[in-house]
């Protein structure tokens, strides 16, 4: 239930990853316009557009647009269509999804690898504090609940209780 508030951001993050992978795997090719001669009837155009959208829309889309022209002397053309630089928008969306998912899971941004600027604390100290806080407020309560349930099952079956011990976070300095 507490994760429901971030599901759309998780989906957005997955779509951004698919879009980025698709862009890279297609060689960063620009969008394309294909101009075709002829003027099919509205039903034919609609069927073509619907099939095309099903196949080529979304993060994995082929980035091709078809245009029909009534000039019968026109040869089919394939033209590059320069797109606007969407880098700032993608960076903003990545930042927002990271913040929302981290917040929704109750983790600090440091714990998911996002620096929060300068501080008097060292990066390792901030990471240790973030881990400790997350462990005590999120992991430990769930762990205790699971162990209590397992122990009920163990006792019903005449077995002794289990105990779970989580070792503390150890940060080693590289020399």
């Amino acid at each position: 239930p507490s994760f429901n508030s971030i599901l759309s951001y998780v989906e957005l993050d997955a779509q951004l990853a698919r879009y980025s992978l698709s862009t890279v795997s297609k060689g960063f090719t620009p969008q394309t316009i294909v101009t075709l001669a002829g003027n099919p009837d509205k039903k034919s155009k609609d069927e073509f557009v619907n099939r095309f959208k099903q196949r080529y829309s979304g993060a994995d889309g082929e980035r091709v647009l078809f245009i029909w022209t009534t000039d019968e002397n026109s040869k089919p053309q394939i033209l590059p269509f320069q797109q606007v630089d969407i880098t700032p928008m993608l960076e903003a969306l990545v930042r927002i999804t990271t913040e929302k998912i981290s917040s929704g899971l109750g983790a600090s941004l440091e714990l998911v690898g996002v620096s929060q600027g300068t501080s008097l604390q060292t990066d390792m100290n901030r990471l240790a504090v973030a881990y400790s806080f997350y462990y005590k407020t999120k992991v430990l309560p769930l762990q205790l609940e699971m162990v209590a349930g397992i122990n009920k099952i163990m006792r019903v079956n005449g077995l002794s209780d289990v105990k779970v011990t989580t070792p503390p976070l150890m940060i080693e300095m590289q020399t």
Side-chain angles (χ1 to χ4, degrees):
S2 63
F3 300 118
N4 288 341
S5 64
I6 63 168
L7 291 178
S8 59
Y9 292 103
V10 172
E11 176 64 22
L12 175 59
D13 189 56
Q15 290 297 322
L16 287 170
R18 288 178 59 200
Y19 174 80
S20 296
L21 179 61
S22 173
T23 300
V24 171
S25 66
K26 293 176 188 209
F28 298 95
T29 55
Q31 291 181 340
T32 304
I33 297 176
V34 177
T35 304
L36 301 170
N39 190 16
D41 60 68
K42 181 173 177 7
K43 183 180 177 187
S44 298
K45 282 183 182 179
D46 289 345
E47 287 174 359
F48 179 84
V49 168
N50 287 334
R51 282 193 318 250
F52 184 82
K53 284 182 179 178
Q54 287 174 352
R55 184 170 178 193
Y56 296 110
S57 63
D60 298 325
E62 288 294 326
R63 300 178 184 95
V64 177
L65 175 64
F66 288 87
I67 297 176
W68 286 274
T69 177
T70 56
D71 182 3
E72 294 296 327
N73 296 325
S74 293
K75 295 185 283 186
Q77 297 180 42
I78 300 176
L79 306 168
F81 181 72
Q82 299 301 322
Q83 68 185 52
V84 176
D85 180 16
I86 60 170
T87 303
M89 180 183 66
L90 290 175
E91 289 171 347
L93 289 172
V94 167
R95 187 185 74 252
I96 290 167
T97 57
T98 301
E99 290 172 358
K100 295 293 186 179
I101 293 169
S102 172
S103 173
L105 294 175
S108 71
L109 289 174
E110 281 88 1
L111 196 56
V112 295
V114 178
S115 176
Q116 289 297 293
T118 59
S119 169
L120 296 176
Q121 296 179 326
T122 66
D123 286 341
M124 286 191 303
N125 188 38
R126 291 195 306 194
L127 182 60
V129 169
Y131 168 81
S132 178
F133 179 77
Y134 186 74
Y135 178 78
K136 288 178 183 175
T137 61
K138 297 293 179 180
V139 175
L140 186 59
L142 291 173
Q143 185 180 32
L144 292 173
E145 187 177 330
M146 287 188 288
V147 169
I150 290 170
N151 283 335
K152 283 182 185 178
I153 295 170
M154 298 295 278
R155 282 185 232 116
V156 165
N157 289 297
L159 301 170
S160 59
D161 285 359
V162 296
K163 183 178 178 183
V164 175
T165 305
T166 304
L169 176 66
M170 302 298 290
I171 298 178
E172 297 179 13
M173 297 279 296
Q174 296 286 338
T175 54

